[in-house]
Amino acid sequence: MNDWRSRDSWPRRLLEAGFFIVLVATLWTVDTLTKINLFEFHRVDYDRFRLIAEQATSAVGVLLLVPAVAWWLDRFPLSRDRILSAVAGHAIGILLFGTIHHFLLVGMRMLVYPMYGRSYTFSEFWVRNVWIEIQKDVKIYLAIVAIVAVYGLYRRQQADAVSASLDRLVVQTGSGETIIRREDIRYLEAARNYVVVGTANREYLVRDTLSNLETSLSPDLLLRTHRSWLVNVDCVEEIRPTGSGSYEVRLDDGKIVPLSRGYRERFKSHLKGTAT
């Protein structure tokens, strides 16, 4: 994310962190109490210290990995056009999550146990233990991915609603938030999971899709010239052939944008209608 310095970034991030802390603390506390009640109900001997230490280190390990899962989801988003990449990426993510979680547990227990006069032995069967941890962590990893994905969708919808209602595009930058008026947008270019927003002064990177921006922004002002490009019709200076049977659009600042055959006639018709 590029908004870590924005005005609402730290309060929002504290709320996000607080949500996961409360969620994990609640779930692991309930699980611990359930196990204790079951052991006592069935009169099974157990080591209360070991049980609590294992549950606590497991919870802390999960919390430490939540930002990593969010970062991984950003690299492998859950989108229809990249479904194979998402499945493969998160399959690897599950393996990494379980492995790192296991070694976090081991490290924390090696630190905690001696504090209470206990010794912790790192099992020689660590490969088998890692595999067991991975199997247990599948649901945890998928739950974190689901929560982060749904929350991200909600944030994008909120941003779209703000942009639509104010006739502005809100762009997160390293120094805060920049408000771009629609008429100041010269072009939009799809760039994988982002969209490059070109203005007279600079380019901005927005976490969105070109189709979504095409719908939310003015369709009469920003017109598609290519499956990866939208241009501001007021900035168009020339349409010219490239010599290979295709065309390109030249903006008034010299910027060259491709004009594909599928959009050429509609684009020309719209320009003629605007001119008249």
Side-chain angles (χ1 to χ4, degrees):
M1 299 294 179
N2 296 322
D3 60 343
W4 67 276
R5 291 182 184 173
S6 62
R7 289 172 295 177
D8 71 330
S9 178
W10 285 113
R12 174 172 57 78
R13 288 184 179 275
L14 288 174
L15 286 174
E16 293 168 356
F19 167 79
F20 275 104
I21 290 172
V22 171
L23 177 65
V24 171
T26 300
L27 292 177
W28 265 254
T29 299
V30 170
D31 186 48
T32 302
L33 293 176
T34 300
K35 290 179 178 178
I36 290 175
N37 288 334
L38 284 174
F39 288 147
E40 293 182 349
F41 178 79
H42 294 287
R43 298 183 179 180
V44 176
D45 291 332
Y46 69 97
D47 187 336
R48 182 180 288 253
F49 169 81
R50 180 178 178 182
L51 174 61
I52 294 175
E54 288 182 354
Q55 291 290 96
T57 53
S58 176
V60 172
V62 168
L63 285 174
L64 291 175
L65 288 173
V66 168
V69 175
W71 180 85
W72 195 256
L73 178 60
D74 197 46
R75 298 303 180 276
F76 298 95
L78 305 178
S79 58
R80 294 180 187 176
D81 56 339
R82 299 187 62 196
I83 186 64
L84 293 179
S85 173
V87 171
H90 290 294
I92 296 172
I94 290 171
L95 297 176
L96 292 173
F97 182 89
T99 301
I100 297 171
H101 188 209
H102 173 75
F103 286 106
L104 280 174
L105 303 184
V106 170
M108 286 186 286
R109 290 168 189 173
M110 283 182 170
L111 291 175
V112 171
Y113 273 56
M115 294 179 184
Y116 293 88
R118 301 289 193 100
S119 61
Y120 182 82
T121 304
F122 181 60
S123 174
E124 61 183 7
F125 303 108
W126 65 271
V127 174
R128 184 184 65 183
N129 291 341
V130 166
W131 178 242
I132 293 173
E133 191 65 46
I134 290 172
Q135 291 176 307
K136 292 193 299 183
D137 285 349
V138 170
K139 292 181 180 179
I140 298 173
Y141 177 89
L142 294 178
I144 296 172
V145 167
I147 292 171
V148 174
V150 170
Y151 177 66
L153 178 62
Y154 167 76
R155 294 243 329 143
R156 288 194 295 274
Q157 289 176 340
Q158 290 296 103
D160 292 342
V162 171
S163 296
S165 61
L166 297 179
D167 200 31
R168 301 287 191 275
L169 182 63
V170 181
V171 179
Q172 301 286 351
T173 65
S175 58
E177 294 179 336
T178 298
I179 312 299
I180 304 174
R181 297 183 303 172
R182 294 181 184 180
E183 56 268 27
D184 291 336
I185 299 173
R186 304 182 66 81
Y187 60 86
L188 299 172
E189 179 188 5
R192 292 177 64 83
N193 301 317
Y194 296 86
V195 174
V196 176
V197 181
T199 66
N201 300 321
R202 59 171 290 185
E203 291 183 336
Y204 300 88
L205 205 59
V206 178
R207 175 73 173 177
D208 211 325
T209 65
L210 195 65
S211 298
N212 186 50
L213 291 178
E214 182 180 23
T215 302
S216 60
L217 296 172
S218 174
D220 294 327
L221 180 65
L222 296 164
L223 200 65
R224 191 178 286 266
T225 64
H226 186 274
R227 62 185 179 87
S228 299
W229 289 85
L230 292 170
V231 299
N232 186 330
V233 293
D234 292 338
C235 299
V236 175
E237 186 174 85
E238 182 183 11
I239 299 176
R240 61 189 184 189
T242 62
S244 59
S246 59
Y247 284 75
E248 62 186 16
V249 175
R250 183 178 182 275
L251 304 185
D252 53 15
D253 62 354
K255 178 74 175 180
I256 302 299
V257 176
L259 177 60
S260 63
R261 181 176 301 175
Y263 298 101
R264 189 166 64 218
E265 294 305 320
R266 179 173 177 270
F267 185 77
K268 288 182 176 180
S269 298
H270 186 91
L271 285 180
K272 291 177 181 178
T274 303
T276 57

